[in-house]
Amino acid sequence: MRADATLLLLDKDAVEQLLTPDEVTQAVREAFVLHGRREGRVFPVVREKLATGGVFGIKSGDVPAQGLLGFKAAGFWPANREIGGEPHQATILLFDPATGRPQCVIDGNAITTVRTGAAGGLGLQLLARQDSTRLTVFGTGVQARSQLRFALRTLPRLACVEYVSVDRRADEGFESLFADQCDIRCARDADEAVSRSDVVITATPGAGPLFDAGALRPGTHLNCVGADTAGKRELPDGVLQRARLVVDDREQALQLGELQWARETPCVELGTLLLGERPFERAAGEITVFDMTGLALQDLTVARFIHERACAEAVGTRIGWAW
């Protein structure tokens, strides 16, 4: 038995210290390209409701050529808000594929937040009209904030942002984060806000349709984040039938995403577009949708660079882990 081996632990503070938006975007882009080339594998997703009221899931995969193997155990526990906690919980583990030894335990909340925002940014870069000036975001929580941050980085002409909060009331904390980057205000009527928008981002718990399909005007792009479990949705009937649909993974979107509600809708994976294998030219009046269910490879490529940087900079806590 080897007794000199260690396991690296990286908590939330350590991860946030090492994250940078540009590097996360680069890692997420790599994940989509690996997926498009089928050089990275995505294993079947576990996503189960619990008797406690939470939802627990596991996303896992590997990149054999890079010696990258791991999983993210994550879920959503809404009752955490009542005790002052974050409802989303996630932990990432990286393993040595040659031995099965755990290498690193990483707080997954910060990684999930930023890698999903970066994926949304890539979707906007490829699919949205680059002259877009008006955006509506549904939600004011952690993921809505991340999506809006990356949208403002990606679409430099965005000037007007409307947000739809759960109670239709203004959220001063949310507004203060973006007030110096755009004209931001609370939308009282979701349909009216959507009808004025070039870009719509849905980042809610996915409890049901958020607006009327008739509110969408030609040329709008939608990033849809909240449908990540069977039974969840944010889009009303009729939207996907009018749109060009892009997904992160077709099989996963059929199980968990908006695609589960319109299963015959033709779609293309984002990795294919990034590889240039299928040219994407947007007609001015087209409606486009990016159905984002979240790939294990996104978590793993980001976790890998966090692990490498933590080792190089001696960040984190090491504990003995004999084998």
Side-chain angles (χ1 to χ4, degrees):
M1 296 288 289
R2 290 186 52 182
D4 59 343
T6 61
L7 176 64
L8 180 62
L9 309 180
L10 297 173
D11 64 11
K12 178 178 181 289
D13 292 338
V15 172
E16 291 181 343
Q17 175 184 336
L18 299 168
L19 283 173
T20 64
D22 288 341
E23 287 180 313
V24 171
T25 298
Q26 183 178 347
V28 169
R29 183 183 183 91
E30 180 189 5
F32 284 121
V33 169
L34 288 166
H35 187 253
R37 291 175 176 160
R38 296 305 187 256
E39 294 176 4
R41 297 190 297 172
V42 175
F43 303 150
V45 173
V46 173
R47 194 78 173 167
E48 298 292 340
K49 294 181 179 179
L50 304 177
T52 60
V55 176
F56 177 70
I58 296 175
K59 291 182 177 179
S60 58
D62 72 349
V63 184
Q66 297 183 5
L68 181 59
L69 171 68
F71 69 81
K72 179 175 75 176
F76 186 72
W77 284 263
N80 284 3
R81 293 192 181 99
E82 300 172 10
I83 56 175
E86 167 57 45
H88 290 93
Q89 292 296 313
T91 303
I92 296 172
L93 269 74
L94 296 180
F95 297 87
D96 177 357
T99 65
R101 288 263 316 148
Q103 297 173 318
C104 191
V105 180
I106 309 175
D107 174 86
N109 279 16
I111 287 178
T112 300
T113 297
V114 182
R115 67 83 155 151
T116 310
L122 288 172
L124 294 177
Q125 184 180 35
L126 286 171
L127 306 174
R129 297 190 345 261
Q130 297 306 296
D131 62 351
S132 297
T133 61
R134 301 187 66 93
L135 178 149
T136 292
V137 57
F138 285 83
T140 59
V142 171
Q143 194 49 237
R145 299 176 185 203
S146 183
Q147 291 294 322
L148 184 51
R149 287 191 187 98
F150 276 91
L152 291 166
R153 288 170 57 89
T154 304
L155 299 173
R157 296 185 63 180
L158 280 181
C160 300
V161 172
E162 294 185 78
Y163 65 94
V164 183
S165 62
V166 66
D167 58 5
R168 301 300 192 268
R169 295 181 180 178
D171 184 327
E172 294 182 1
F174 184 76
E175 291 184 15
S176 68
L177 296 173
F178 304 102
D180 62 344
Q181 301 175 66
C182 60
D183 177 16
I184 184 167
R185 63 186 180 87
C186 180
R188 307 300 180 184
D189 186 294
D191 288 344
E192 288 184 6
V194 168
S195 71
R196 291 189 287 264
S197 296
D198 304 306
V199 174
V200 175
I201 296 172
T202 60
T204 74
L210 298 172
F211 55 88
D212 186 85
L216 275 176
R217 67 180 184 182
T220 305
H221 172 71
L222 300 95
N223 272 0
C224 301
V225 184
D228 59 1
T229 304
K232 284 190 175 185
R233 70 183 306 179
E234 296 177 305
L235 297 183
D237 290 335
V239 170
L240 293 187
Q241 291 83 346
R242 296 171 57 195
R244 289 179 71 182
L245 176 63
V246 176
V247 299
D248 43 21
D249 179 271
R250 184 177 182 275
E251 292 305 314
Q252 197 166 286
L254 280 167
Q255 296 175 42
L256 311 175
E258 295 293 342
L259 188 56
Q260 67 183 289
W261 302 102
R263 300 179 66 85
E264 302 305 317
T265 305
C267 63
V268 60
E269 293 182 344
L270 189 72
T272 300
L273 298 183
L274 287 170
L275 288 168
E277 294 177 357
R278 187 174 300 184
F280 184 90
E281 295 184 4
R282 164 187 256 287
E286 281 189 305
I287 293 172
T288 51
V289 173
F290 182 27
D291 187 6
M292 302 169 57
T293 57
L295 292 180
L297 291 173
Q298 295 169 239
D299 300 305
L300 297 184
T301 54
V302 176
R304 180 194 60 207
F305 100 72
I306 291 292
H307 179 215
E308 291 173 350
R309 174 165 290 179
C311 291
E313 300 182 11
V315 173
T317 303
R318 287 196 174 273
I319 62 173
W321 200 265
W323 65 301

